[in-house]
Amino acid sequence: MSNEDNNILYILDEDETQEEQDNSPLNFAAYDDADSSEEEVEANEAERKEKSAFSLLFYTMLRPVEGWKKIRRYHLKAETIQSGCFYPLLALLAISQFADYFYSVNVGLSQLVTKGIVVFVAYFFGYFAIQMVLSWVLPKDMAIKFEGGYGKQYLLISLSTLVLFSIFTSLLPMIWPILIFLPIWTLYIMFKGVRFFHFPQNQEMKFFVISGAAVIGIPLLIDWALNELMPY
């Protein structure tokens, strides 16, 4: 047999071997795994986009542990929570102060405007004041973990629950003695979210006490100071 015939047979054998490899079940399985992983990533991304900050807020209120897990998994930015949840709730809180017009006889429009501004500023600047206070008060190792992305998410969701409860209190002042206990719910939600900072176990309660006191107390302190400066 000539050299040319041998070369032709060698090329044909190579083509058959390559075809067998391409059609083997192992290769199809590899392609399927790649496709499934890509589909899984795309599904997670689509789910993240569908979840609004508001829906995650209510989910966290109803199922705190699962809610904080979702917030961590979706890598929800602080700016997204601010624009999609916190700031809209602050606007509703300021508007809800005008409900006093229907409950009080001796209240003027200027008083309601001042009251709306005060509550808005108390929570708006309270968010930034809480971050500064916690950065100063917390030990260095805890402060470093808090100043990450989850720290801002943790504060914004917690403050958003307080703002939501304040809206209910403004709209339904007749059941104020009951609604005043709703911040306990906020503290419960915060307690369930502390574990996701991954502090040492002996530091979790310390962080919860400090952060809980700051989230509840600082907006109230700013509100009191503004009322002293701008009484209505």
Side-chain angles (χ1 to χ4, degrees):
M1 185 178 291
S2 65
N3 291 333
E4 291 182 359
D5 293 337
N6 288 332
N7 290 336
I8 292 172
L9 290 174
Y10 178 75
I11 293 172
L12 290 175
D13 289 340
E14 271 192 337
D15 291 340
E16 290 176 358
T17 303
Q18 183 64 39
E19 185 178 357
E20 289 176 358
Q21 290 178 352
D22 291 341
N23 294 330
S24 67
L26 292 176
N27 279 340
F28 286 128
Y31 294 147
D32 290 341
D33 290 342
D35 292 339
S36 63
S37 62
E38 290 179 3
E39 290 175 359
E40 186 178 351
V41 170
E42 291 176 358
N44 289 337
E45 182 68 16
E47 184 182 2
R48 184 185 68 82
K49 291 180 179 178
E50 290 175 0
K51 292 290 185 182
S52 66
F54 261 118
S55 65
L56 285 174
L57 169 64
F58 289 115
Y59 189 83
T60 305
M61 292 174 65
L62 296 175
R63 301 183 64 184
V65 174
E66 295 300 321
W68 290 120
K69 284 182 181 178
K70 285 182 178 290
I71 291 171
R72 291 278 299 196
R73 186 167 67 248
Y74 295 154
H75 300 288
L76 201 63
K77 295 182 179 179
E79 293 79 6
T80 302
I81 302 177
Q82 288 172 329
S83 60
C85 180
F86 186 56
Y87 292 155
L89 283 175
L90 285 183
L92 287 175
L93 176 60
I95 295 172
S96 70
Q97 304 309 304
F98 289 89
D100 281 353
Y101 187 80
F102 302 100
Y103 296 114
S104 303
V105 179
N106 299 322
V107 64
L109 184 61
S110 61
Q111 292 175 299
L112 297 177
V113 171
T114 303
K115 188 177 180 181
I117 294 173
V118 166
V119 295
F120 183 94
V121 172
Y123 283 104
F124 181 84
F125 285 105
Y127 165 64
F128 300 100
I130 292 168
Q131 291 185 73
M132 290 188 295
V133 169
L134 291 181
S135 298
W136 295 335
V137 173
L138 291 174
K140 186 176 180 179
D141 56 338
M142 296 177 69
I144 291 174
K145 289 187 177 182
F146 167 75
E147 291 170 0
Y150 180 63
K152 294 180 179 180
Q153 298 165 351
Y154 181 79
L155 288 184
L156 285 167
I157 292 294
S158 302
L159 284 171
S160 294
T161 64
L162 285 179
V163 174
L164 186 62
F165 298 152
S166 297
I167 292 172
F168 291 149
T169 305
S170 300
L171 296 177
L172 303 170
M174 70 287 297
I175 58 173
W176 181 82
I178 298 175
L179 297 178
I180 195 175
F181 293 103
L182 285 177
I184 297 176
W185 194 356
T186 296
L187 292 174
Y188 173 72
I189 294 170
M190 293 179 67
F191 177 75
K192 291 297 184 180
V194 171
R195 71 182 69 176
F196 299 105
F197 282 102
H198 303 298
F199 294 128
Q201 192 170 3
N202 60 347
Q203 292 183 345
E204 287 185 355
M205 184 56 66
K206 180 179 181 179
F207 176 81
F208 167 68
V209 171
I210 296 174
S211 62
V215 167
I216 300 294
I218 289 179
L220 291 176
L221 184 61
I222 296 175
D223 185 276
W224 171 82
L226 291 174
N227 284 326
E228 292 295 318
L229 295 173
M230 299 187 301
Y232 50 82

